[in-house]
Amino acid sequence: MMERLSRWWADWEAFWDEREHPLPVALVRIFLGLCFVYDFAHIWQLGLIEPLFVMAEAGGLSDGFMREDPVWLYRILPPTAWAGHLHHGILLLSAVTFTLGLFTRTSAVTLIAASATFSAIMPYSDRGIDSLARSALCILVFSPAGKTLSLDALIRTGSVFGDGRPEPMWARRLLIGQLVLMYFDAGISKTGITWWPMGHFSALYFALQDPAVAAYDYSSFIRKPFSFFMTQLGAAGTMVYQYTYPLVLLLLWWRRHPERAGRFGRLLVAWRVEYLWIGVGFLFHIILGFSMNLGIFPWAMMSLYPVWLTAGEWERILSFRRWSVAESGT
Amino acid sequence: MRRFRAIVIAIAIFANLVVAIPTAKIDDDELADPEYRQSDVRNWYRWTGGLGMDEERFRELALGIMTGWRDAVRLVRAPFQPFFSLVHTNQQWGLFAVVGERKETVVIEVRRNGQWETLYRRLDPEHTWHDDQLKYRRIRGVWDGVKEEPKGTYKRLTVWLAKEIFTEQPDVDRVRVVLERSAMSLPWETVDPTVERRAERYHRRNEVMDDPEQEAR
């Protein structure tokens, strides 16, 4: 028993110590960073810095200063308009430097702290995607995401591509785990009856009529039988998709250990069936991005998708350059 | 380093899995309200045949199980909660977990030369004043899902909106912000045209422009 446990632990240590070129996590850093930059620049462009960042005492919406336990930032700063502008400025600046890979870890820590503070100041304006982005940042802050395609790499090695040395790949694996957990949990959390046959799979039909989240007014055709059927298909498909998402981990495990897969499993691995979930997810987010009013949600979700490919696979896609990437595990 | 990393990752995975255990959102203050989650409970009652219980008993049992489960999960999460609270994150992804059969939209009305007119109604192409701001997810989060008794953030949003309108449109002397709630129906059901207006906030130019904080209170 002890021998088996210690062998298992040794495998665990070895698994998390495997290395690859940091290209996939660097791509996540850039795409996620761009979502942050867009979101905070968009607040500025819409003229919403004052309502969202400034305390009620200075004309904003937040009660962060008047609470019994004020938000930490306003124990240091006075609740003035410039403090709100400073907070927004720090968020935007750290998002820019994070995207560029300049002082990557410091930028990531600043971004987490400033974003978490914003969440404390305006909890109603903090959505699920902001929480997911902070979770991803908590992983990226310790990862080698700034070791390539970054100004840090340029400063350190003289090339924005870095020195091409393999780095620990645990961050990419944890981000895969985060995606699987998010999709699966989103499925099992769907307790509303409208997601189930008893509710006629009508969740999407109703959601698309909700002015808060619909991008357009679909009332002219959504009650037609074909439209309703398509929304039912979408709702049922979403449930099947999210409930079965953990199978992706099994498929990746079988890819690593084909000897444990059995004939059917090896067939699924050979056909790369995991791309079904990844491709459907990609399509799902694109459709959501245009049909619903969800802000950066679909785009920030897709910004994590680079982790589905290994550094070697990315090298083949980005073949304009020789990346000196050794083939890595899943 | 290798061992340390493996240990930290094991703890991180465990903590995130514990935080991911789903619990239903139960508002203890609303448990006594017989209408609370009534539609869901009734549907589950119909589907399970009530497990041989009358509806009231079934409701008590269902809400009791949900509350007990939530408290148990809360206990297991306790050691990890400080970290998740610090970075304001969790692993609860209730994305559209409950999609109701009622919709709600924000409506802004203004009084100009003694006549009331609609300035904004979400998804109404005729009334699109500052639509980009009002539909932006972080602002939408303030007006969408407002409870029966609106809280301070919503009230302050309406004051801010009134200030914007009074500054832009000198001939407006009153602003009314209201949420219009209506029922949605399945294609084979009759559409109920009833529109319930709620969470109404009313602002006068002289009050808002002279003392913006007064209305916020």
Side-chain angles (χ1 to χ4, degrees), chain A residues 164-199:
Chain A
R165 269 198 314 203
E167 299 284 343
M169 60 191 287
W170 58 266
R172 184 166 75 78
R173 286 175 169 157
L174 284 185
L175 286 170
I176 286 177
Q178 175 63 80
L179 279 169
V180 173
L181 185 59
M182 197 231 93
Y183 284 117
F184 181 62
D185 200 86
I188 58 176
S189 300
K190 286 185 169 50
T191 52
I193 201 84
T194 50
W195 284 105
W196 295 93
M198 306 78 79

Side-chain angles (χ1 to χ4, degrees), chain A residues 46-70:
Chain A
L46 290 173
L48 291 174
I49 297 177
E50 298 223 347
L52 290 175
F53 283 85
V54 173
M55 295 295 101
E57 287 74 2
L61 308 187
S62 174
D63 62 354
F65 184 70
M66 63 176 89
R67 289 177 208 154
E68 267 182 37
D69 183 19

Side-chain angles (χ1 to χ4, degrees), chain A residues 7 44 104 138 152 167 231 244 257:
Chain A
R7 204 168 52 235
W44 187 8
T104 309
C138 287
D152 283 345
E167 299 284 343
T231 61
T244 56
H257 297 286

Side-chain angles (χ1 to χ4, degrees), chain A residues 9-10 12-14 16-17 19 39-40 42-43 46-48 51-52 56-57 59-63 66 112 116 118-120 122 124-132 134-135 138 168 170 174 178 181-182 185-186 188-196 198 200 202-203 205-207 209-217 223 228 292-297, chain B residues 2-7 9-10 12-13 16-17 19-22 24 37 39-40 43-44 46-47 83-106 122-123 125 132-144 151-154 156-158 160 163-164 184-191 213 216:
Chain A
W9 180 256
W12 177 263
E13 279 186 11
W16 293 108
D17 195 43
R19 281 151 202 269
D39 196 38
F40 297 126
H42 193 46
I43 290 175
L46 290 173
L48 291 174
L52 290 175
E57 287 74 2
L61 308 187
S62 174
D63 62 354
M66 63 176 89
I112 294 169
F118 185 32
S119 167
M122 278 294 288
Y124 295 105
S125 78
D126 196 68
R127 318 301 296 179
I129 194 60
D130 300 300
S131 175
L132 181 79
R134 283 191 294 274
S135 289
C138 287
W170 58 266
L174 284 185
Q178 175 63 80
L181 185 59
M182 197 231 93
D185 200 86
I188 58 176
S189 300
K190 286 185 169 50
T191 52
I193 201 84
T194 50
W195 284 105
W196 295 93
M198 306 78 79
H200 307 283
S202 56
Y205 165 80
F206 287 126
Q209 295 180 74
D210 183 351
V213 290
Y216 305 98
D217 180 1
R223 292 176 71 87
F228 178 63
M292 297 189 83
N293 173 39
L294 299 176
I296 61 165
F297 171 74
Chain B
R2 182 184 148 112
R3 176 150 301 169
F4 175 71
R5 182 192 295 132
I7 292 170
I9 288 174
I13 291 174
N16 279 278
L17 288 176
V19 173
I21 298 171
R37 302 201 67 157
S39 154
D40 264 341
N43 280 318
W44 287 111
R46 226 176 19 229
W47 188 61
F83 173 78
F84 289 95
S85 300
L86 181 71
V87 295
H88 278 252
T89 186
N90 63 51
Q91 293 292 352
Q92 294 287 300
W93 305 110
L95 309 171
F96 292 94
V98 177
V99 181
E101 296 174 25
R102 287 192 299 192
K103 61 179 175 179
E104 201 155 70
T105 188
V106 64
R122 175 84 187 108
L123 290 183
D132 284 343
Q133 287 180 323
L134 285 154
K135 74 178 184 190
Y136 175 58
R137 67 190 181 102
R138 295 187 190 274
I139 291 292
R140 187 242 302 161
V142 178
W143 62 260
D144 181 27
K151 296 221 166 105
T153 312
Y154 172 75
R156 286 186 288 275
L157 172 69
T158 67
W160 178 76
K163 272 178 76 180
E164 292 283 297
M184 293 183 278
S185 58
L186 291 163
W188 56 88
E189 293 173 341
T190 329
V191 180
E213 280 181 29

Side-chain angles (χ1 to χ4, degrees), chain B residues 12-57:
Chain B
I13 291 174
F14 179 73
N16 279 278
L17 288 176
V18 164
V19 173
I21 298 171
T23 56
K25 255 192 184 155
I26 300 282
D27 190 339
D28 288 330
D29 295 341
E30 301 205 46
L31 278 175
D33 178 0
E35 286 302 308
Y36 181 60
R37 302 201 67 157
Q38 184 60 7
S39 154
D40 264 341
V41 171
R42 192 166 290 156
N43 280 318
W44 287 111
Y45 180 78
R46 226 176 19 229
W47 188 61
T48 57
L51 306 172
M53 284 175 262
D54 63 58
E55 196 171 332
E56 187 49 40
R57 178 86 189 92

Side-chain angles (χ1 to χ4, degrees), chain A residues 33 81 115 124 134 139 164 169 223 231 263 277 284 289 307 322:
Chain A
S115 171
Y124 295 105
R134 283 191 294 274
I139 296 172
M169 60 191 287
R223 292 176 71 87
T231 61
R263 192 182 299 171
W277 278 271
F284 173 71
V307 297
R322 183 72 203 151

